[in-house]
Amino acid sequence: MEVREKPYRDRLEGVLAPAMATAFQRLFDHELDASKLSFQSTRPEFEGDVTINVFPFLKVSGKGPEPTATVLGEFLQEHLSVVERFNVVKGFLNLVITDQYWLEFMQEAASTDILQFPANGNKVMVEYSSPNTNKPLHLGHMRNIFLGHSVSRILESTGHEVIRTQVVNDRGIHICKSMVAWQRFGNGETPKSSGIKGDKLVGKYYVEFDKAYKREIELLVAKGITKETADKEAPIMQEAQAMLLKWEANDPEVRTLWEKMNGWVYDGFNATYERMGVAFDKLYYESQTYVLGKEDILKGLEKGVFYKKDGAVWVDNTPEGLDEKVLLRSDGTSVYMTQDVGTAIQRFQEFPGLSKLIYTVGNEQDYHFKVLFLILKKLGFPWADELHHLSYGMVDLPSGKMKSREGTVVDADELIEEVVQEARKTGEELSKLDDFSEAERTELFEMIGLAALKYYLLKVDPKKRMLFDPAASIDLHGHTGPFIQYTYARTRSLLRKAGPDATNSVSLEQGNGTLLPEERAVIKLLHQFPGVLDAAATGLDPASLANHTYELVKTYNGFYQNVPVLKEEDPAKRAMRLTLSKAVASSTKKAMWCLGIEVPERM
RNA sequence: GGUCCCGUAGCUCAGCUGGAUAGAGCACCUGCCUUCUAAGCUGGUGGUCGUUGGUUCGAAUCCAACCGGGAUCACCA
């Protein structure tokens, strides 16, 4: 059997699997088919820690389920010191792992960061957020941003070097609309003069544009012009289109206004990002990247990867089960796909050694990315296989889909303020914070509110469409971020009271059978944590990490409620339980860091 | 119409490389604060895992068809 490539997957399996291979040689004179070997946690109603299912091996053993499991169990018990004893139920071999093993692992988890893997030399770029500059960030962006940010952290924890990036969609007809409306109706209003946050102000004029546009269409239709014609001929729309042309022609006046209004938006975005606790290492602006890709497409045309039809350049993806797609219009201009091709190429040139590029973009663009990756593969770039679309589902509201046109979007700033206020309300009611200064309270409530929101959005499988329930998102009880924070604060409280040396006298020499079920359950979840992190990194899935963290702290709460720690008189047991609390504290803190969530010392 | 995704408790979600009696949270009912933080813990109610077939020792999990919901398929971005 080969050495496992992923030592973090599960350490026990790393010991058990080779022993199983040896057992197969000796007992059955057969190679073990490792793909059929599966380990699972023993169900709580049976005795044991790890369960091996022997059904797949009955042909090889030539025996029934029970005898097969029994001989394997005897072999493992005899050859592995970590196997204390075993029992067999039907085809299930339940192994009891020694307390010694669990205690040693606990000690390690308390003294080292089990959720930090060594650097592996891989450089990964993660793109997320990527907003338009004509309106403020909303709930949809929040899922995107928290996801991308969390994935970045998870990748860092598993040893990758991460470059966080966003493409700011700063050009195009949408921003021209805001600009035209501001010119017409703004009377020189600025964020400073109005006290309105920059992105909100520009968003306001985007809405003003739409209103004026609709009025003009109505007027034209009233004059007997068809709706279709009116859509095109409304003066304000023509003005916006003229402005876009001027922008492209580098008209100084338009460019100045554009820079001014985009500047307002960036100030607004940055304030929101800062409150969210996210940041980027590298920004791309579409005003600079939209010209990219044209030459790459032409090169592809020369190589015969693409073809010309009616003056336009096409790619034929029908052999791959997709469609044909235009890459350059017959007038030679680019489409959206063109610049995405060019941008990807540029990034790999700019960052030599970049091994992976992850796009955090909604699943409505699944097809787009399929085509993009395929085109880059056809162009022969070896890194084309390392492109990933982190595709996430839309966020629905109880009232249905979010639509910016219909004003049903949930504004990011408002939502954050709401959850923070809710945290404040609850926090003040519980009145545990009498000695906190106002500044400390504010910081704490900010932390708790954001935890509620981030955890709420991250605990659901990213791939799935999810429902945003406002009441549930500000809930601080149950399966929530604040619940996890609360448990962390409990562990910190214990450790503070115990003093700095409290965990020093922990003894690993305790006899087997002394570990309580509550203690063992917590340690086992800690033991699984590195494997969960590894899987989360591989699957770009913060939800699995979020759910495991919840399971851990929930189990710890059961321990806390039923087993004395500080009040335990036996110094060895007391030290052990404090060490366990320390391990839970540090792992929980790190896991929450991976989710982009901070944890408080007290709450 | 083609392609892709999703249907699990009243609601929101886990579980899905096939394994033992399908799990949480919310909601509802029930106990536990003179004791380490009750933002907690305990017990209970609640399921044809969309439907039907197939694969097999074994299917919520894999395959097919169907039903229901969504996305996407522009010389748009």
Side-chain angles (χ1 to χ4, degrees):
Chain A
M1 172 144 181
E2 284 179 30
V3 177
R4 297 183 75 83
E5 283 191 359
K6 288 184 173 169
Y8 299 99
R9 194 89 202 170
D10 189 306
R11 194 172 310 184
L12 262 178
E13 289 179 19
V15 175
L16 294 171
M20 281 291 281
T22 312
F24 268 60
Q25 285 292 356
R26 303 251 190 97
L27 301 174
F28 311 135
D29 194 24
H30 250 277
E31 266 319 291
L32 168 68
D33 180 354
S35 68
K36 285 187 180 161
L37 181 60
S38 75
F39 299 95
Q40 49 186 299
S41 305
T42 306
R43 301 196 122 238
E45 57 266 36
F46 302 100
E47 192 206 25
D49 299 308
V50 181
T51 295
I52 296 172
N53 190 325
V54 302
F55 278 110
F57 306 122
L58 300 186
K59 275 180 196 150
V60 171
S61 73
K63 304 177 201 293
E66 281 91 352
T68 305
T70 303
V71 292
L72 285 169
E74 280 164 357
F75 184 92
L76 293 176
Q77 186 178 13
E78 191 182 327
H79 290 83
L80 293 177
S81 58
V82 296
V83 177
E84 164 102 19
R85 58 182 181 278
F86 69 92
N87 65 80
V88 173
V89 182
K90 292 191 270 185
F92 298 95
L93 170 58
N94 300 320
L95 302 173
V96 178
I97 304 302
T98 59
D99 287 1
Q100 177 81 19
Y101 177 85
W102 295 124
L103 287 167
E104 279 176 16
F105 178 77
M106 175 193 79
Q107 183 84 327
E108 186 188 333
S111 56
T112 64
D113 185 353
I114 57 169
L115 299 183
Q116 183 59 56
F117 302 175
N120 58 23
N122 286 332
K123 201 186 286 180
V124 181
M125 179 178 279
V126 181
E127 175 190 310
Y128 58 98
S129 191
S130 311
N132 288 358
T133 58
N134 61 324
K135 50 183 182 253
L137 301 171
H138 58 71
L139 182 56
H141 292 112
M142 294 180 107
R143 188 177 199 193
N144 179 308
I145 291 165
F146 296 150
L147 243 183
H149 184 243
S150 176
V151 163
S152 303
R153 290 247 169 116
I154 288 171
L155 291 172
E156 282 181 348
S157 297
T158 50
H160 300 78
E161 184 192 333
V162 177
I163 301 154
R164 288 151 238 262
T165 189
Q166 66 169 330
V167 181
V168 183
N169 193 357
D170 61 341
R171 56 140 235 132
I173 191 71
H174 56 269
I175 181 69
C176 290
K177 287 179 181 176
S178 291
M179 286 156 67
V180 165
W182 184 83
Q183 279 184 327
R184 276 210 196 179
F185 316 116
N187 296 317
E189 186 178 37
T190 68
K192 218 172 214 173
S193 74
S194 62
I196 299 175
K197 197 162 162 276
D199 51 336
K200 297 281 195 300
L201 186 69
V202 173
K204 176 181 149 188
Y205 286 100
Y206 188 72
V207 173
E208 288 299 321
F209 176 93
D210 210 53
K211 283 189 203 160
Y213 180 41
K214 277 186 180 137
R215 278 197 304 271
E216 289 183 4
I217 290 171
E218 272 176 41
L219 272 168
L220 290 173
V221 171
K223 283 186 194 164
I225 296 170
T226 63
K227 174 84 169 56
E228 218 170 56
T229 316
D231 282 353
K232 284 183 206 149
E233 290 187 355
I236 196 164
M237 180 57 91
Q238 297 206 324
E239 206 178 319
Q241 257 143 10
M243 187 177 270
L244 182 59
L245 288 176
K246 277 188 178 176
W247 182 90
E248 279 170 7
N250 264 318
D251 179 276
E253 201 184 315
V254 169
R255 286 280 177 153
T256 304
L257 177 61
W258 172 74
E259 272 167 23
K260 178 162 79 177
M261 290 183 71
N262 270 342
W264 296 344
V265 172
Y266 299 147
D267 289 344
F269 283 173
N270 287 339
T272 305
Y273 287 146
E274 199 184 329
R275 199 170 185 193
M276 287 176 170
V278 304
F280 301 91
D281 304 306
K282 165 90 189 165
L283 300 186
Y284 289 94
Y285 295 93
E286 218 189 53
S287 54
Q288 286 154 26
T289 61
Y290 85 110
V291 291
L292 297 173
K294 206 169 157 175
E295 283 177 35
D296 302 298
I297 299 301
L298 291 173
K299 275 186 213 157
L301 183 62
E302 272 174 45
K303 281 200 280 183
V305 177
F306 309 130
Y307 66 94
K308 256 193 163 171
K309 188 174 79 182
D310 303 330
V313 179
W314 294 73
V315 61
D316 180 13
N317 291 331
T318 50
E320 289 82 9
L322 304 174
D323 296 311
E324 294 172 288
K325 169 92 192 162
V326 165
L327 299 176
L328 287 176
R329 298 190 188 100
S330 45
D331 64 2
T333 57
S334 295
V335 293
Y336 184 63
M337 185 66 77
T338 319
Q339 73 167 276
D340 265 7
V341 168
T343 306
I345 294 169
Q346 193 204 41
R347 289 180 186 181
F348 277 88
Q349 286 168 347
E350 204 175 342
F351 294 93
L354 190 63
S355 58
K356 209 179 269 192
L357 174 51
I358 296 167
Y359 297 87
T360 312
V361 179
N363 63 10
E364 64 215 339
Q365 296 201 42
D366 283 355
Y367 181 77
H368 173 79
F369 282 100
K370 247 186 218 174
V371 174
L372 173 64
F373 298 164
L374 186 54
I375 289 171
L376 288 163
K377 197 166 172 69
K378 286 184 172 181
L379 284 171
F381 294 103
W383 41 260
D385 290 324
E386 298 307 324
L387 301 168
H388 296 272
H389 175 203
L390 172 47
S391 164
Y392 65 92
M394 296 293 103
V395 182
D396 287 329
L397 299 175
S399 53
K401 259 189 96 163
M402 262 200 301
K403 283 178 182 159
S404 49
R405 303 233 147 191
E406 293 166 21
T408 54
V409 289
V410 175
D411 179 77
D413 295 321
E414 286 172 20
L415 182 55
I416 292 173
E417 188 53 31
E418 203 178 320
V419 291
V420 168
Q421 285 314 320
E422 182 66 20
R424 175 175 288 274
K425 202 177 125 209
T426 307
E428 304 281 12
E429 273 170 15
L430 291 172
S431 65
K432 297 179 189 174
L433 311 166
D434 294 340
D435 57 327
F436 271 50
S437 70
E438 183 49 40
E440 285 169 328
R441 286 175 196 228
T442 300
E443 192 189 348
L444 177 64
F445 299 140
E446 193 79 9
M447 208 186 269
I448 296 171
L450 277 164
L453 193 52
K454 289 182 181 180
Y455 194 87
Y456 182 81
L457 291 172
L458 286 174
K459 72 176 173 181
V460 180
D461 183 346
K463 293 193 292 290
K464 291 187 179 168
R465 168 180 280 269
M466 69 176 286
L467 183 80
F468 181 81
D469 176 354
S473 73
I474 58 175
D475 199 348
L476 311 174
H477 306 268
H479 188 185
T480 66
F483 170 84
I484 298 170
Q485 290 178 316
Y486 176 72
T487 310
Y488 175 80
R490 272 184 157 174
T491 62
R492 296 304 304 162
S493 173
L494 284 181
L495 293 163
R496 261 196 314 275
K497 286 182 177 159
D501 302 326
T503 56
N504 290 352
S505 58
V506 67
S507 162
L508 301 178
E509 305 304 319
Q510 295 188 57
N512 275 314
T514 58
L515 212 45
L516 298 172
E518 288 90 344
E519 296 163 339
R520 178 176 284 251
V522 174
I523 298 172
K524 278 155 77 173
L525 287 168
L526 281 172
H527 187 265
Q528 288 168 230
F529 227 153
V532 170
L533 175 65
D534 187 54
T538 308
L540 306 178
D541 176 23
S544 57
L545 190 68
N547 285 313
H548 189 80
T549 309
Y550 169 70
E551 215 175 310
L552 174 71
V553 300
K554 183 181 159 57
T555 306
Y556 178 84
N557 270 324
F559 156 82
Y560 179 92
Q561 207 87 202
N562 294 304
V563 181
V565 180
L566 292 176
K567 275 179 275 170
E568 172 58 51
E569 288 176 7
D570 180 338
K573 285 184 180 168
R574 186 171 183 270
M576 192 277 277
R577 288 173 195 160
L578 282 164
T579 305
L580 180 60
S581 301
K582 195 177 170 189
V584 169
S586 60
S587 308
T588 300
K589 184 174 189 171
K590 182 61 182 293
M592 292 292 265
W593 181 87
C594 288
L595 299 174
I597 300 174
E598 290 182 276
V599 287
E601 293 299 302
R602 289 177 54 192
M603 71 184 270

